[in-house]
Amino acid sequence: MRGMKDDATPSPDGELKDELQAMEARVRKLRDTRNAFSDQARASAEKRNAIQGQYKEHREKVDLVLAEVKAIRAEVKMHKEKRNAIQAQLRDIIGQAKGHRKEKGDKKSATAEYAQLKQEVAGLEKTFETSSVGQKKEKEMIKKIKEMGRRIVELAPEVVKFEMIAVDLSDMDTAIKTLKSEADASHQAMLEAVGRADVLSKEVDEAFTHRDFLKAEGDRFHNEFVELRKKSDQTHEKITEMMVNVNEIRDKL
């Protein structure tokens, strides 16, 4: 009949409602996706923060281990320098004991001259005290002892500065034995410190390996966090754009 409406033809409002429902369903789905990205980003951030806390604590341990290694190396250096100085002193005294002299024209070392003068003074004083000599000879001996005494006083500061270990230079055999013993003791102390450094080197390697692992894990979780936040933000932008269309349709209805 003329004027009757065809029931099969959808109304404009019905089409808008269907479109609105479809768009709202998409918005809900996007919101779920955005929230999932946000939750995952939050979880990655928490893992990153936990790893970074471990990294900070471990870095303090690494610093302590390195400080210990530095102290041991300084100890090794100290023992080595002491050993070398004693050995140099020992070589000089052995040279004196064997009557070695430097090349012609070279000056005798202060230590050698000091030791020789001390021996000569001791010999003269003993002769002076135990033997009966003439008045002339006595004056000569006194004069010589005074001259040697002045020279000994002049040499003393240089000899004291040179000596690592104080020894009786008038008794060469005992002095040599003492210095050999001291040099050996310093050498053994150096070797013992080197051994401690070697043992500690394994701990240092393990500490650095674990430090690098924590750093890499922290970076990995941070990169995950950044990527997930980016996806969440992009999804939120899509929701915002769709909501403009949703609100327009709602206004029309």
Side-chain angles (χ1 to χ4, degrees):
M1 291 177 64
R2 186 187 294 253
M4 292 185 64
K5 188 174 181 181
D6 188 356
D7 293 339
T9 303
S11 67
D13 287 349
E15 291 178 351
L16 286 175
K17 287 180 179 179
D18 291 341
E19 183 179 357
L20 178 61
Q21 289 176 352
M23 293 183 69
E24 287 177 339
R26 287 186 61 191
V27 168
R28 285 194 297 271
K29 186 175 181 180
L30 285 173
R31 281 174 176 164
D32 290 340
T33 301
R34 179 199 62 190
N35 294 341
F37 283 141
S38 295
D39 291 341
Q40 292 173 14
R42 190 178 302 109
S44 294
E46 289 174 354
K47 291 177 182 178
R48 177 202 62 195
N49 294 342
I51 289 292
Q52 288 178 342
Q54 293 178 36
Y55 176 83
K56 183 179 179 181
E57 292 178 2
H58 187 71
R59 188 175 61 188
E60 293 175 355
K61 178 184 176 182
V62 172
D63 291 341
L64 289 174
V65 174
L66 289 178
E68 188 175 356
V69 170
K70 186 177 180 180
I72 293 176
R73 286 176 178 169
E75 185 181 345
V76 170
K77 183 180 179 182
M78 178 193 71
H79 289 309
K80 184 178 181 180
E81 290 177 348
K82 183 176 180 180
R83 179 204 63 188
N84 293 345
I86 294 173
Q87 287 176 340
Q89 181 183 352
L90 179 60
R91 284 192 297 269
D92 188 81
I93 291 179
I94 289 174
Q96 299 166 31
K98 291 181 178 179
H100 288 176
R101 295 290 182 267
K102 296 184 179 181
E103 294 182 4
K104 189 175 181 180
D106 285 352
K107 185 180 179 181
K108 187 189 301 183
S109 71
T111 306
E113 185 181 355
Y114 182 87
Q116 184 177 340
L117 288 171
K118 291 279 286 185
Q119 287 178 328
E120 290 179 4
V121 168
L124 287 172
E125 288 177 343
K126 186 176 181 180
T127 300
F128 185 78
E129 293 172 359
T130 59
S131 301
S132 178
V133 295
Q135 189 174 5
K136 183 179 180 182
K137 185 68 175 178
E138 187 177 298
K139 289 182 179 180
E140 290 177 356
M141 289 173 63
I142 293 173
K143 182 180 179 182
K144 195 169 185 180
I145 289 172
K146 287 182 178 180
E147 289 175 351
M148 289 181 177
R150 285 194 293 268
R151 181 57 180 162
I152 288 172
V153 172
E154 292 175 1
L155 293 170
E158 189 172 351
V159 172
V160 171
K161 180 181 178 181
F162 170 78
E163 288 181 336
M164 274 296 300
I165 302 298
V167 291
D168 184 3
L169 295 175
S170 63
D171 185 352
M172 288 294 190
D173 290 339
T174 301
I176 289 171
K177 288 179 182 179
T178 300
L179 291 174
K180 281 184 177 180
S181 176
E182 291 290 338
D184 289 343
S186 293
H187 182 69
Q188 289 302 318
M190 182 194 75
L191 293 179
E192 189 273 335
V194 169
R196 282 189 282 120
D198 290 341
V199 171
L200 200 59
S201 65
K202 183 179 180 181
E203 185 177 346
V204 171
D205 292 340
E206 291 174 352
F208 275 118
T209 298
H210 191 57
R211 182 202 64 179
D212 294 342
F213 168 76
L214 292 175
K215 177 68 167 58
E217 284 293 281
D219 291 343
R220 182 170 70 85
F221 285 125
H222 179 69
N223 291 335
E224 282 184 7
F225 164 76
V226 171
E227 186 62 27
L228 289 167
R229 284 302 310 171
K230 181 180 179 181
K231 290 179 179 179
S232 176
D233 292 342
Q234 289 173 342
T235 306
H236 184 74
E237 289 177 4
K238 290 180 182 179
I239 293 172
T240 302
E241 291 172 1
M242 290 190 67
M243 285 303 299
V244 172
N245 296 329
V246 168
N247 290 329
E248 286 179 355
I249 293 173
R250 286 173 178 172
D251 290 342
K252 290 178 181 179
L253 290 172

